[in-house]
Amino acid sequence: MSVLLTDLLKPLGWMGRLRWPLVAAALACVMAASAAGMVGASDTTDQSLLQIEEVSSRLSGMPAAVENVVKAAADRGIPEASDARPLLETAARSSFKADGMLAEISKAVDGAGDDAVDPKAFAKAAAALEEGQAKIARMYEAQDQTAAKDIETHLADPDKGLRINQLADLMAGPDLAVETAFTSQLMYLSLEALSSSDAGKLASASQDELQSEMRGVISSLRSKSENEKPVPKDMARANERARLTFVLATLSPEDLSVLTDFYESPGGKAKRDALIESYRQVSDQANSEMLGQYFQALVDYLKTHPRPQQQQ
């Protein structure tokens, strides 16, 4: 059984490099649209940190990623992707339980480090950052060149530009974007399975055999750095960092200082690290559940919809 899923990791080429502003625009719009579901501004450091790093909207947005992954797969010549879409959507919705995942992450962050910052000032900066996200989303939607030039002026400023770039390197967002890209890669891999020459073997696989494969597939794909589809992890990191610098450029010097003080402090670093690690853990658990449910559903699907290679 290991040959079946592992073979899907063989190099098959990947889509051309995307221009980051296009990806950034899409991300900004998603974040702005999801703002109502985010953790609200609070007088506690932990809740403000989760708001700043957009944890709730990232988690709740994962099932919706199926649509984009299916489109990418279809564009790359996998016509079976549309057949598998309902199966993958059901598995993703069932596995990515945003509220429970957020609770686990919150617990981990709460147990790490000290507050390390004035909670009220931090909450104010969190609210300003959220408004900045909405501003950038509106800028892209309206193709506002004047606003874009204003942002670029801030980034080009020797002092403020340096501070913004240093802060972007300290924040968790780029690492969390890698997790989003990784889940999309698992989704893509799942769709590829239906077009694989070995797809017919799935119909005779037991549930235990399918489940035993999940950890190995996740581990192999996480360490993969070439031929990543639909978006490479490094590209996702760079795209998010670029988007983040645009958002940070909307902040006042005071709010930038508050954020920088937090992320540079020992307590802030501890909370950031706990956030990233716990986010990765809950994502891996959800990913494993998603793959298990999807492939089990695919087994049932193939029994009634045999692939051509099964009919030979």
Side-chain angles (χ1 to χ4, degrees):
M1 181 62 189
S2 60
V3 175
L4 174 61
L5 296 182
T6 305
D7 279 352
L8 297 175
L9 299 174
K10 291 179 180 178
L12 295 173
W14 56 276
M15 68 200 313
R17 188 171 180 82
L18 302 174
R19 292 179 59 192
W20 79 259
L22 299 179
V23 179
L27 285 171
C29 290
V30 169
M31 299 305 179
S34 304
M38 293 175 63
V39 177
S42 167
D43 60 356
T44 69
T45 300
D46 292 349
Q47 288 178 321
S48 293
L49 176 61
L50 296 178
Q51 178 185 2
I52 288 167
E53 298 293 1
E54 306 167 273
V55 174
S56 181
S57 60
R58 293 180 196 275
L59 293 173
S60 61
M62 285 315 307
V66 173
E67 179 179 357
N68 291 331
V69 175
V70 169
K71 185 178 185 304
D75 289 345
R76 287 189 56 81
I78 304 178
E80 298 89 347
S82 60
D83 296 333
R85 176 176 175 174
L87 307 180
L88 187 55
E89 285 179 334
T90 298
R93 284 197 302 269
S94 176
S95 303
F96 280 85
K97 303 178 180 67
D99 289 345
M101 297 169 77
L102 181 62
E104 289 296 316
I105 294 170
S106 299
K107 182 178 179 181
V109 172
D110 179 61
D114 299 320
D115 282 351
V117 71
D118 174 25
K120 290 184 178 180
F122 200 48
K124 175 179 175 294
L129 194 70
E130 185 173 299
E131 174 54 32
Q133 293 157 4
K135 180 177 180 180
I136 295 301
R138 291 193 299 267
M139 181 187 76
Y140 276 110
E141 184 177 4
Q143 293 293 299
D144 189 338
Q145 297 298 321
T146 300
K149 288 181 180 179
D150 185 50
I151 294 294
E152 291 170 356
T153 298
H154 287 299
L155 293 174
D157 180 86
D159 180 48
K160 188 172 184 179
L162 178 61
R163 293 174 64 197
I164 287 171
N165 279 284
Q166 290 176 335
L167 177 55
D169 287 334
L170 295 172
M171 296 176 69
D175 288 291
L176 302 186
V178 167
E179 294 307 310
T180 298
F182 178 64
T183 295
S184 292
Q185 290 176 12
L186 286 171
M187 291 177 177
Y188 191 99
L189 179 69
S190 300
L191 296 174
E192 276 189 321
L194 194 55
S195 64
S196 168
S197 60
D198 288 323
K201 297 179 182 178
L202 282 170
S204 59
S206 69
Q207 186 170 1
D208 287 342
E209 287 176 319
L210 290 171
Q211 291 293 341
S212 69
E213 280 296 303
M214 296 307 108
R215 288 192 181 88
V217 169
I218 290 175
S219 177
S220 295
L221 193 58
R222 185 173 285 284
S223 63
K224 190 175 173 61
S225 60
E226 296 180 354
N227 190 44
E228 299 174 88
K229 303 179 292 288
V231 178
K233 293 186 284 290
D234 284 348
M235 181 187 287
R237 182 189 300 278
N239 289 340
E240 176 67 4
R241 188 188 180 283
R243 183 191 74 88
L244 185 55
T245 60
F246 262 49
V247 175
L248 291 174
T250 68
L251 299 186
S252 68
E254 294 77 16
D255 289 330
L256 280 175
S257 293
V258 168
L259 292 177
T260 299
D261 289 346
F262 171 80
Y263 281 99
E264 286 184 340
S265 70
K269 290 178 180 178
K271 287 185 178 296
R272 171 197 176 276
D273 291 346
L275 168 57
I276 294 172
E277 180 58 30
S278 59
Y279 191 102
R280 182 179 294 118
Q281 289 176 359
V282 299
S283 291
D284 270 353
Q285 178 61 36
N287 286 331
S288 179
E289 292 178 10
M290 177 183 70
L291 289 181
Q293 291 183 31
Y294 169 80
F295 278 108
Q296 187 56 54
L298 190 58
V299 166
D300 296 335
Y301 177 85
L302 289 172
K303 289 177 180 177
T304 56
H305 299 78
R307 311 317 296 162
Q309 59 267 26
Q310 289 177 251
Q311 300 172 336
Q312 295 176 357

